[in-house]
Amino acid sequence: MQQEIHHPIPFTNIFNDQADEASDQLSSLVSISNNYHTVSANRRTSVSAESIVPSTITEEAKLHIPKSDTQAKFIREALADIFLFKHLDSDQLHDVVFAMKECPVEAGTCVIKQGDDGDYFYIVQAGRFECYIEKGNHSQLVAIYGPKSSFGEVALMYNSPRSATITATQDCILFALDRTTFRSLLVNNMAHKRVTYETFLNKIPFIQSLPLNERRKIADALEPRFFADRETIITQGDAGDYFYLIVSGQVLVTNSIAPASEDIILGQGQYFGECALMDNVPRTATVIARGPLNCAVLPQQGFQRLLGPLFDNLKKHQH
Ligand SMILES: Nc1ncnc2c1ncn2[C@@H]1O[C@@H]2COP(=O)(O)O[C@H]2[C@H]1O
């Protein structure tokens, strides 16, 4: 059901358009986040960080914002759950932790406005945010973010406009990572993963129909998972969490309620785990590795967001 959203305060872009240097951006963030009602709503028209070569950020240019041990621990724990950061080494994670700036946000503040340029990636330290996608005069609630959740990565990853509007529903505290640091650390990693999965995705029938940029988004969101022979990947009755694509190897899909003859074997380029995620029901079968198995998985949120438009198609191709 669609619902109307009324912003308690008129939206203002809480960041200005003059700060090309990451350090300038962050100092603006601090002063502006305390004073967001009065800030100019001008959108940035150019973003210098786009042209950055990922590995060329110099030691001098790196931000180092002092943190308490508790703050650093909190950010590390939050990053550990965010797939984008999973491939960073310990030095890179250290850079992320100390580039993040703590920002208090008052209830009612619109932190991200759909359609704007992206300037920061956020981790929620405290409080609650709502994420809406605006279509015409309506806004649809698509996510709620609490402590350790993150948002704001899409526009930074793809140089695209903000894909949703995000508003604080109570007084909150965010950690914000500037665009320059985000891209310098993550774009290299993403490029590598994209190359790895793009060719694979191009061979999967229901994904082939998507435009190139959509296929790339899926490649970027996939995470590798490896399983040993006979390892149980999914247990019937459990809640759904991931969608699995088989990169190499085979699985046995078995339904304890249906007769054994219903068991099926899936191999390279096929997928499983979609039913529970599409229909929001418990896992409908148990899936076991048949020999060593290499999968690429999409977490539930990414699955809904990236493959949502293909659900009809997915159902048609269902085994
Ligand atoms: N359907 C969705 N479900 C969850 N989060 C979303 C959804 N659409 C957009 N977002 C988040 O909202 C953010 C808005 O800014 P970005 O597009 O940079 O990054 C986006 C994601 O982090």
Side-chain angles (χ1 to χ4, degrees), residues 112 118 120 131 133 142-143 145 150-156 160-166 301 305:
I112 286 181
Y120 290 89
C131 175
I133 292 185
V142 292
Y145 301 110
S150 62
F151 55 81
E153 74 291 0
V154 177
L156 302 192
S160 57
R162 291 295 199 187
S163 59
T165 292
I166 297 180
Q301 206 185 40
R305 177 154 16 128

